[in-house]
Amino acid sequence: MRRGIAATALVATLALAATACGGDTKDDGGATKAGGELSGTVTWWDTSNDAEKASFQKIAEAFTAKHPKVTVKYVNVPYGDAQNKVKNAFSSGAEAPDVIRADVGWVADFASLGYLDEVPAETAKKIDAEFLPQAAASGKYEGKTYAVPQVIDTLGLFYNKKMLADAGVQPPKTLEELKAASAAIKAKTGKAGLYLRGDDSYWFLPLIYGEGGDLVDAKNKTVTVDNEAGVKAFKTARDLVTSGAAITNATDGWNNMQTAFKSGEAAMMINGPWAVADSYAGEQFKDKSNLGVAAVPAGSVKAGAPQGGHDLAVYAGSKNRAAAHAFVEYMTSQDVQVQSAKELSLLPTRTAAYEQPDVKSSEMVQFFKPAVDKAVERAWIPENGSLFEPLKVEYTKAITGASSPEDAAKAAGAEFRKILKGWK
Amino acid sequence: MAAHTSQSVAKAAGDESDVARGRSRRTDGPQRAANRGGLKRAFATHWYAWAMIAPVVLVLGIIIGWPLVRGVYLSLTDANERNVARTIGANHIEATYTFVGLDNYTAVLSDPVFWQRLVWTVVWTVACVTVTFALGLALANMLNRDFKGRAFYRMALILPWAVPGFVSVFAWRFLFNRDNGILNKLLDGGGIAAIPWLDDPTWAKLSVITVNVWLGIPFMMVALLGGLQSIPGELYEAAEMDGATTWQRFRHITLPGLRSVSMTVILLSTIWTFNMFPVIFLLTRGGPGDSTEILVTQAFREAFVSSPRDFAGSATWGVLILALLMIFALVYRRALRKQGEVW
């Protein structure tokens, strides 16, 4: 009994101490610059995947070496839930992060709602001078800069070199070649040719670009997903699955795709540099050189992949904005970009980083850099991120045969027009 | 969440039944007038009781009443994430949304999406409640007998209730995985082709119903088991003496004896299933496509998926869902009263 009381007292004391500590750091957070030195806590919500997060956490926490009075609080938020979580946190202000890693498609949205703090003028100038122009474009909204590009990416065709060699085929350059290659792989190895992700409409973009289409034409304020090229893209997606050239799932697509590719159940997949680190962990790629990357297969018009990537942005309501901006600057510095290129095969956004030996020697970066330069820049409009959800519904319906490609395209167009009020 | 809902709903149902009882007994006019005059006296006599329930009323008013009123109000405006009042750091942005009357309701009700979701929601609710009740009743009857290891079986069957809902749903999601799930591995062992559990609209619908039934059975079973134990054993003995068959005993003693319990659990279970957000959202996210989307998950989609978030639109969906459930409860109660139930 007496021990019980002692234990309770101990717990209570610890709890008091803990809350006291919490209070202290928060107070410090208010005082950002004491004698020119940064202090306080910077909470960073990172959306990197399981294979990447350990590396980013290490990099983020190393910020303390430069600014000993700043504590970095690293929080990994799964990418899928992040947009909502960030919005909830930003709109209520409670427990909101100071810095977020935002998909390039979210920046305009968050900025238009007033959630993001403008990048300091000096940094904005540097971004224009030292970063890839298409990456810099993603951080801007109505002429102001709200985010600093951290990584840039695009989609490519990942392939299992050994499986393709066994089947006697070359990495396909067009969808026709892809179907032939899949048939050969199936005949020789009994495995699937391509895993096409069916539960996320981002993976649909190469198909629509391949037919010369796009989701929207922002210049003319026109929805284009349901035009001829769009319908053809939905048909292509359906055809890839029904013809047996590709396997897909309507749920758990990411995990199923990675499992299928890593275990050799599928010889190819369409994916981006963020999947490289995870793919290397698979049994098929113990020998890293077995992983090959090529440009996404071309449709009837061209080969096109979307420009993606992530930017770092500071919350406008952050109590510690000076430290937060310094943290963003550090996370997007040349050294850090080179390190994540080396460890995770992620592509830097700084032009000069590509001259570094570590970056130059990375096969993945060497492949993806020219691909990124050619990638299709998306419309940087606030509604950008919102378009993917209705598109996903229709894409999944088309790919599983629940509705015809024509109906899917039509329905997606109608949903887009609901979101983009006043567009044609 | 389930616990919260269950409590407040049970409470609401209880309150309603009291009101109904009072009203049905109030038959003659003069009595009513006397009652009204008596209110003052009643307050004077029972002021202590009023004081005791005041905090509860206050809290309920704040956590249920105010959001409800606010929701109804928002559904009559064009509020969204861009035009509501918000404070971001130092800047405070004023609200600029306006009153638009019933526009939102016309928009939702004239959209075929609402009716499609309503049809599937009704199918889903009826299917889930029927199967859950039938299985719950069967299991309760089995467990009501005396046999070895009864306590163990009872515990095992209550297990789904003890596991947090989202954990169960995620576990099921792993089982259902078409390429790597255990269910398909088992079928594969038996030489049956893989079933696209969550990838095909029809299978996905069956899958979500299965999971919800699995989650719902413990509650049904425990409630009905309690009901069974309150039926006097003498009735069965007497029936047996009269030569009634097992089916006749079940039909004429068990079912009527369970009536008050079963009517309550069916009402509750219907309301919960109608609003069962987590099972659908976590298992299929409404997919494949939008084939398993019910009204509440659609309301979530309206509110939180596209940007700027449409607060007015989702409030409209919420009010419509509430209205549907209230109509259901009213009709259900009336039907029961016709059959001679006390509430």
Side-chain angles (χ1 to χ4, degrees):
Chain A
M1 192 64 206
R2 188 160 291 167
R3 194 178 292 160
I5 293 169
T8 317
L10 182 67
V11 169
T13 324
L14 283 174
L16 271 176
T19 45
C21 286
D24 276 352
T25 44
K26 259 217 175 116
D27 287 345
D28 282 358
T32 45
K33 269 188 179 177
E37 201 181 352
L38 294 172
S39 62
T41 307
V42 173
T43 305
W44 179 40
W45 282 12
D46 176 31
T47 57
S48 61
N49 64 35
D50 288 344
E52 299 167 337
K53 65 185 182 191
S55 178
F56 274 123
Q57 178 162 15
K58 205 179 68 202
I59 292 173
E61 281 164 1
F63 182 67
T64 315
K66 294 193 172 180
H67 300 278
K69 290 198 173 165
V70 179
T71 318
V72 173
K73 203 173 143 206
Y74 175 91
V75 182
N76 188 277
V77 182
Y79 175 80
D81 311 328
Q83 196 176 4
N84 253 319
K85 275 200 177 155
V86 168
K87 281 187 144 195
N88 286 343
F90 280 0
S91 58
S92 70
E95 306 290 316
D98 302 293
V99 178
I100 53 158
R101 184 192 204 230
D103 183 282
V104 286
W106 304 344
V107 175
D109 182 24
F110 292 165
S112 76
L113 292 166
Y115 291 152
L116 300 184
D117 195 35
E118 239 185 284
V119 166
E122 271 171 64
T123 320
K125 258 185 227 153
K126 270 193 221 159
I127 294 173
D128 289 334
E130 298 167 12
F131 285 65
L132 298 172
Q134 69 270 41
S138 72
K140 291 184 179 158
Y141 175 68
E142 292 188 337
K144 292 179 178 168
T145 308
Y146 289 97
V148 187
Q150 184 204 18
V151 294
I152 187 166
D153 59 50
T154 190
L155 293 171
L157 182 76
F158 284 49
Y159 61 92
N160 186 325
K161 284 182 186 167
K162 190 171 169 303
M163 284 178 78
L164 262 64
D166 287 349
V169 290
Q170 293 295 316
K173 292 201 170 59
T174 65
L175 289 173
E176 289 309 310
E177 285 179 34
L178 173 78
K179 281 167 83 171
S182 283
I185 290 162
K186 188 108 189 197
K188 282 271 166 53
T189 61
K191 308 290 185 191
L194 176 77
Y195 188 102
L196 178 63
R197 197 168 169 199
D199 69 333
D200 190 326
S201 45
Y202 193 70
W203 273 253
F204 173 64
L205 294 178
L207 299 179
I208 192 167
Y209 295 152
E211 303 303 329
D214 201 343
L215 300 183
V216 294
D217 175 358
K219 248 187 218 142
N220 298 311
K221 298 210 163 195
T222 311
V223 172
T224 53
V225 71
D226 51 356
N227 65 15
E228 212 177 309
V231 173
K232 204 152 174 231
F234 279 104
K235 276 188 186 151
T236 313
R238 177 82 189 124
D239 178 55
L240 281 173
V241 176
T242 47
S243 69
I247 52 168
T248 188
N249 290 96
T251 40
D252 268 334
W254 173 260
N255 287 329
N256 285 328
M257 172 167 66
Q258 287 302 115
T259 311
F261 188 66
K262 289 194 290 192
S263 65
E265 284 299 315
M268 297 175 272
M269 66 172 175
I270 292 174
N271 221 330
W274 63 85
V276 173
D278 185 51
S279 299
Y280 280 150
E283 46 166 301
Q284 291 282 318
F285 305 101
K286 274 185 190 138
D287 172 14
K288 288 186 179 183
S289 65
N290 191 34
L291 177 66
V293 206
V296 293
S300 59
V301 177
K302 61 168 183 179
Q307 181 205 320
H310 296 276
D311 295 351
L312 295 179
V314 173
Y315 173 44
S318 163
K319 290 196 183 96
N320 205 356
R321 279 182 287 176
H325 281 295
F327 175 73
V328 169
E329 201 157 325
Y330 158 79
M331 288 301 293
T332 54
S333 66
Q334 177 121 333
D335 290 349
V336 167
Q337 295 203 351
V338 169
Q339 195 180 342
S340 51
K342 189 177 140 194
E343 289 176 9
L344 307 167
S345 305
L346 294 175
L347 270 70
T349 50
R350 283 177 181 268
T351 325
Y354 289 93
E355 303 305 320
Q356 295 294 312
D358 276 340
V359 179
K360 268 193 167 168
S361 64
S362 163
E363 201 193 330
M364 290 299 144
V365 174
Q366 283 313 304
F367 165 77
F368 273 111
K369 175 63 174 48
V372 156
D373 287 339
K374 279 194 295 182
V376 182
E377 211 173 315
R378 288 184 276 152
W380 305 124
I381 49 174
E383 295 83 2
N384 193 320
S386 310
L387 298 180
F388 285 102
E389 191 61 28
L391 183 62
K392 181 191 95 177
V393 170
E394 299 308 326
Y395 171 55
T396 308
K397 275 188 182 174
I399 210 169
T400 54
S403 76
S404 73
E406 290 81 5
D407 289 347
K410 216 171 116 188
E415 286 297 321
F416 280 18
R417 285 187 189 87
K418 269 193 215 164
I419 295 169
L420 301 158
K421 289 192 180 80
W423 285 42
K424 270 180 278 182
Chain B
M1 191 178 144
H4 274 287
T5 332
S6 68
Q7 269 187 350
S8 61
V9 170
K11 202 163 193 73
D15 287 346
E16 258 181 1
S17 68
D18 278 340
V19 173
R21 204 175 291 152
R23 209 182 290 149
S24 64
R25 282 181 188 171
R26 255 186 267 152
T27 41
D28 42 356
Q31 178 88 37
R32 202 180 299 174
N35 267 352
R36 207 173 293 155
L39 203 64
K40 225 176 201 173
R41 200 154 11 99
F43 187 77
T45 334
H46 302 297
W47 67 270
Y48 186 70
W50 287 104
M52 291 305 280
I53 62 162
V56 178
V57 171
L58 197 72
V59 169
L60 283 182
I62 292 169
I63 65 173
I64 295 175
W66 167 241
L68 193 66
V69 170
R70 176 99 186 133
V72 173
Y73 170 67
L74 280 179
S75 74
L76 301 171
T77 67
D78 61 354
N80 64 33
E81 198 172 19
R82 217 176 278 287
N83 61 19
V84 294
R86 56 199 186 278
T87 307
I88 301 154
N91 15 326
H92 181 79
I93 300 159
E94 288 297 325
T96 51
Y97 57 88
T98 53
F99 190 81
V100 296
L102 292 173
D103 284 8
N104 292 318
Y105 291 94
T106 347
V108 171
L109 293 175
S110 59
D111 190 346
V113 169
F114 176 80
W115 301 103
Q116 286 162 16
R117 299 291 175 271
L118 180 61
V119 169
W120 161 238
T121 309
V122 170
V123 172
W124 141 267
T125 309
V126 172
C128 285
V129 174
T130 320
V131 178
T132 314
F133 182 74
L135 290 178
L137 184 60
L139 286 170
N141 267 300
M142 279 153 75
L143 288 180
N144 197 32
R145 294 170 187 204
D146 229 351
F147 62 91
K148 214 171 162 193
R150 187 165 78 160
F152 170 77
Y153 286 108
R154 282 187 183 178
M155 284 306 289
L157 284 163
I158 293 173
L159 198 69
W161 215 2
V163 180
F166 75 96
V167 175
S168 316
V169 178
F170 277 132
W172 275 97
R173 205 165 121 164
F174 284 125
L175 299 181
F176 278 138
N177 191 312
R178 190 181 64 187
D179 298 336
N180 313 305
I182 296 171
L183 287 179
N184 276 345
K185 292 254 155 76
L186 286 176
L187 289 178
D188 200 29
I192 302 167
I195 290 174
W197 295 108
L198 302 177
D199 289 354
D200 171 81
T202 314
W203 280 111
K205 284 176 178 170
L206 285 174
S207 305
V208 286
I209 292 175
T210 309
V211 174
N212 195 48
V213 166
W214 188 81
L215 284 173
I217 278 182
F219 168 73
M220 280 287 185
M221 197 188 72
V222 170
L224 293 175
L225 196 55
L228 284 179
Q229 285 167 359
S230 72
I231 301 174
E234 294 82 17
L235 288 179
Y236 290 103
E237 277 169 30
E240 224 172 336
M241 297 286 270
D242 291 345
T245 61
T246 322
W247 169 250
Q248 280 171 330
R249 271 177 275 153
F250 177 74
R251 173 82 184 68
H252 296 288
I253 301 174
T254 311
L255 281 186
L258 278 180
R259 199 183 174 94
S260 54
V261 175
S262 55
M263 289 304 145
T264 311
V265 293
I266 286 175
L267 177 69
L268 288 179
S269 164
T270 304
I271 293 171
W272 292 341
T273 311
F274 198 87
N275 283 341
M276 186 52 83
F277 180 84
V279 170
I280 304 268
F281 186 75
L282 297 178
L283 201 63
T284 64
R285 296 242 161 186
D290 51 6
S291 52
T292 54
E293 204 90 70
I294 58 172
L295 288 170
V296 280
T297 57
Q298 181 72 31
F300 174 82
R301 187 182 283 269
E302 300 287 321
F304 295 113
V305 169
S306 60
S307 178
R309 296 170 171 187
D310 185 2
F311 297 142
S314 58
T316 310
W317 279 79
V319 172
L320 285 171
I321 291 167
L322 183 70
L324 281 169
L325 284 174
M326 276 163 65
I327 292 168
F328 166 76
L330 224 67
V331 171
Y332 187 81
R333 217 185 67 197
R334 185 153 294 184
L336 286 188
R337 213 186 309 161
K338 255 193 201 137
Q339 289 174 20
E341 284 295 321
V342 277
W343 61 294

